[in-house]
Amino acid sequence: MLPAALLLWVKVVHRPFFWQLRGNLAIAVPLLAVALSITLTHATRYASIVEEDLKIADGGNAAGASVIRRP
């Protein structure tokens, strides 16, 4: 009962839409930039892993039998 009572006690005040959008973008855009920069710094490593996996799949072994490469 106490958690439900606490929910009824709290009053939520919403700001206008564009103020909320601006605040959300102020947080989301820098975090997306950080995630993109981290991803791009490791992109060559990821690409080499995928390329190696495709070479193994073309080797004719049973593990790569389900991989279909299209031209």
Side-chain angles (χ1 to χ4, degrees), residues 20-38:
Q20 280 188 288
L21 180 67
R22 189 182 83 168
N24 290 343
L25 286 176
I27 294 171
V29 170
L31 290 177
L32 286 173
V34 169
L36 182 63
S37 65
I38 290 171

Side-chain angles (χ1 to χ4, degrees), residues 13-59:
V13 178
H14 292 283
R15 294 176 9 186
F17 174 75
F18 289 108
W19 282 99
Q20 280 188 288
L21 180 67
R22 189 182 83 168
N24 290 343
L25 286 176
I27 294 171
V29 170
L31 290 177
L32 286 173
V34 169
L36 182 63
S37 65
I38 290 171
T39 302
L40 289 177
T41 58
H42 299 296
T44 56
R45 190 173 303 163
Y46 296 145
S48 66
I49 291 170
V50 170
E51 181 182 3
E52 188 174 323
D53 285 345
L54 288 176
K55 285 180 186 177
I56 291 171
D58 284 341

Side-chain angles (χ1 to χ4, degrees), residues 58 67-71:
D58 284 341
V67 177
I68 300 172
R69 286 190 65 194
R70 297 173 194 228

